[in-house]
């Protein structure tokens, strides 16, 4: 995975998390502190300036242009930082399937660490670019990939969960188009969840399980990514499940199967439907 792909994803992240209907959906997005300037219209200026409708496969990062930034512009960059997004529900809202303790630790410690480390890595990268230090730029790439992916993945994860028993947790009424596509692909909703669960259980080590939509064919696929790698390459994440041990171990210990079984009670099918339709997360990143 090359750095320009990830920089492009970061620059367009609000469009992954926002839609024109975002204000009425449980999806949350990157928030900014009073000193930050993070919004759907301005976030691309944090790293690159790119038209908001460019697809991920065609985004090009102008590294020479970044290298040529003036000191004044670099200072402006330092004032713009990614911040931890607020959850669209209370920490105890997903119980009994995910405990309040896990949610607090997962959100305020693990996700916050990805955000903080991403900001530090991006700042160091700009410094390395301004100095023409290619060796340092290469050394920083893995930190950007890991922490940037962690920030993207968790931001998507929180918003594709919802309290059990809510309207959004019912796939029949909340996601009719997506459910129809799932039934066509796997035979039924139950056959789909069985296939997805087997994929999650077969994931070795740390990583993520995803239901994705191919942006070219429109076909649905179940796939995985290792560590904190995000979904890229023309695939649109519809549902993501965190399979790192920090997502379940305090509550389930080594009973990963119970965590996987329980997660289906709190999937936000309303958000999944919007992602599938290209609203909450469309084909344009």
């Amino acid at each position: 995975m090359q750095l320009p792909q990830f920089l492009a994803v970061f620059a367009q992240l609000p469009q992954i998390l926002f839609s024109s209907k975002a204000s009425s959906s449980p999806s949350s997005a990157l928030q900014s502190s009073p000193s930050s300037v993070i919004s759907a219209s301005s976030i691309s200026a944090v790293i690159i300036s790119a038209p908001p409708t460019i697809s991920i496969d065609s985004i090009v990062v102008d590294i020479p242009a970044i290298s040529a930034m003036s000191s004044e512009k670099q200072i402006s960059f330092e004032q713009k930082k990614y911040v931890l997004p607020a959850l669209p529900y209370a920490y105890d809202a997903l119980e009994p399937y995910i405990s309040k303790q896990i949610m607090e630790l997962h959100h305020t410690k693990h996700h916050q660490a990805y955000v903080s480390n991403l900001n530090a890595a991006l700042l160091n990268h700009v410094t390395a670019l301004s100095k023409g230090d290619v060796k340092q730029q290469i050394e920083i790439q893995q930190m950007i990939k890991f922490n940037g992916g962690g920030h993207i993945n968790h931001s998507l994860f929180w918003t594709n969960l919802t309290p059990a028993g809510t309207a959004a947790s019912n796939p029949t009424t909340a996601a009719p188009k997506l459910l129809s596509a799932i039934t066509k692909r796997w035979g039924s909703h139950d056959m789909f969840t069985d296939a997805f669960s087997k994929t999650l259980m077969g994931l070795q080590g740390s990583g993520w399980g995803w239901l994705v939509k191919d942006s070219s064919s429109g076909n649905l696929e179940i796939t995985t990514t290792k560590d904190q790698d995000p979904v890229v390459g023309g695939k649109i994440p519809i549902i993501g499940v965190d399979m790192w041990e920090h997502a379940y171990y305090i509550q389930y210990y080594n009973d990963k199967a119970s965590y996987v079984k329980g997660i289906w009670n709190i999937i936000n099918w309303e958000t999944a439907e919007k992602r599938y339709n290209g609203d909450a997360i469309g084909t344009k990143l």
Side-chain angles (χ1 to χ4, degrees), residues 19 41-42 54 100 119 122 166 181 186 223 246 254 271 274:
S19 71
S41 61
S42 66
I54 296 179
K100 177 181 178 180
N119 285 329
L122 292 175
T166 61
W186 283 279
T223 189
H246 65 235
N254 63 336
T271 293
K274 290 179 179 179

Side-chain angles (χ1 to χ4, degrees), residues 142-159:
Q142 180 57 33
M143 183 174 288
I144 294 177
K145 176 183 178 181
F146 181 77
N147 291 289
H151 184 28
I152 292 171
N153 292 342
H154 283 86
S155 297
L156 290 168
F157 182 54
W158 306 135
T159 56

Side-chain angles (χ1 to χ4, degrees), residues 8-75:
V9 173
F10 303 146
Q12 299 297 324
L13 186 55
Q15 291 177 277
I16 296 177
L17 303 175
F18 281 119
S19 71
S20 60
K21 303 177 182 178
S23 59
S24 61
S25 76
S27 300
S28 64
L30 296 180
Q31 302 175 356
S32 60
S33 61
S35 62
S36 304
V37 185
I38 302 294
S39 66
S41 61
S42 66
I43 194 169
S44 61
V46 174
I47 302 172
I48 59 173
S49 295
T53 57
I54 296 179
S55 67
I56 191 168
D57 292 328
S58 63
I59 290 176
V60 177
V61 178
D62 189 349
I63 296 298
I66 297 176
S67 301
M69 288 193 304
S70 66
S71 298
E72 180 181 352
K73 288 185 177 181
Q74 289 184 40
I75 292 173

Side-chain angles (χ1 to χ4, degrees), residues 9-277:
V9 173
F10 303 146
Q12 299 297 324
L13 186 55
Q15 291 177 277
I16 296 177
L17 303 175
F18 281 119
S19 71
S20 60
K21 303 177 182 178
S23 59
S24 61
S25 76
S27 300
S28 64
L30 296 180
Q31 302 175 356
S32 60
S33 61
S35 62
S36 304
V37 185
I38 302 294
S39 66
S41 61
S42 66
I43 194 169
S44 61
V46 174
I47 302 172
I48 59 173
S49 295
T53 57
I54 296 179
S55 67
I56 191 168
D57 292 328
S58 63
I59 290 176
V60 177
V61 178
D62 189 349
I63 296 298
I66 297 176
S67 301
M69 288 193 304
S70 66
S71 298
E72 180 181 352
K73 288 185 177 181
Q74 289 184 40
I75 292 173
S76 176
F77 171 83
E78 293 172 13
Q79 295 174 342
K80 301 172 183 177
K81 298 186 182 297
Y82 291 103
V83 298
L84 185 70
L87 296 181
Y89 37 72
Y91 284 119
D92 62 356
L94 304 182
E95 292 185 335
Y97 304 105
I98 301 181
S99 70
K100 177 181 178 180
Q101 182 184 23
I102 285 181
M103 288 301 298
E104 287 180 333
L105 289 171
H106 199 172
H107 182 246
T108 66
K109 301 300 182 183
H110 291 280
H111 191 175
Q112 180 62 68
Y114 295 126
V115 173
S116 299
N117 292 333
L118 172 61
N119 285 329
L122 292 175
L123 181 58
N124 289 337
H125 187 254
V126 169
T127 301
L129 284 169
S130 67
K131 294 179 178 179
D133 189 337
V134 177
K135 181 180 178 181
Q136 187 181 11
Q137 293 173 44
I138 294 172
E139 291 174 349
I140 296 170
Q141 287 187 26
Q142 180 57 33
M143 183 174 288
I144 294 177
K145 176 183 178 181
F146 181 77
N147 291 289
H151 184 28
I152 292 171
N153 292 342
H154 283 86
S155 297
L156 290 168
F157 182 54
W158 306 135
T159 56
N160 73 210
L161 299 179
T162 190
T166 61
S169 68
N170 185 335
T172 302
T173 55
K177 291 184 179 179
L178 174 58
L179 186 58
S180 175
I182 285 174
T183 301
K184 181 179 179 181
R185 172 68 176 80
W186 283 279
S188 70
H189 172 262
D190 288 343
M191 293 175 72
F192 159 70
T193 57
D194 286 346
F196 201 141
S197 296
K198 288 178 180 178
T199 298
L200 295 175
M201 292 299 297
L203 201 159
Q204 297 180 340
S206 300
W208 292 74
W210 302 93
L211 172 65
V212 301
K213 176 183 176 182
D214 186 276
S215 60
S216 298
S217 67
N219 294 332
L220 293 174
E221 305 169 17
I222 296 171
T223 189
T224 61
T225 56
K226 291 294 291 180
D227 298 324
Q228 291 298 351
D229 289 357
V231 174
V232 294
K235 306 296 184 181
I236 304 166
I238 307 300
I239 296 172
V241 178
D242 190 348
M243 292 304 294
W244 280 65
E245 285 191 343
H246 65 235
Y248 63 86
Y249 201 85
I250 293 176
Q251 181 175 357
Y252 293 97
Y253 298 100
N254 63 336
D255 187 9
K256 184 165 62 174
S258 291
Y259 165 69
V260 170
K261 181 180 179 180
I263 203 77
W264 294 110
N265 293 284
I266 53 175
I267 291 296
N268 190 325
W269 289 97
E270 181 179 301
T271 293
E273 177 84 346
K274 290 179 179 179
R275 292 175 180 175
Y276 178 72
N277 292 333

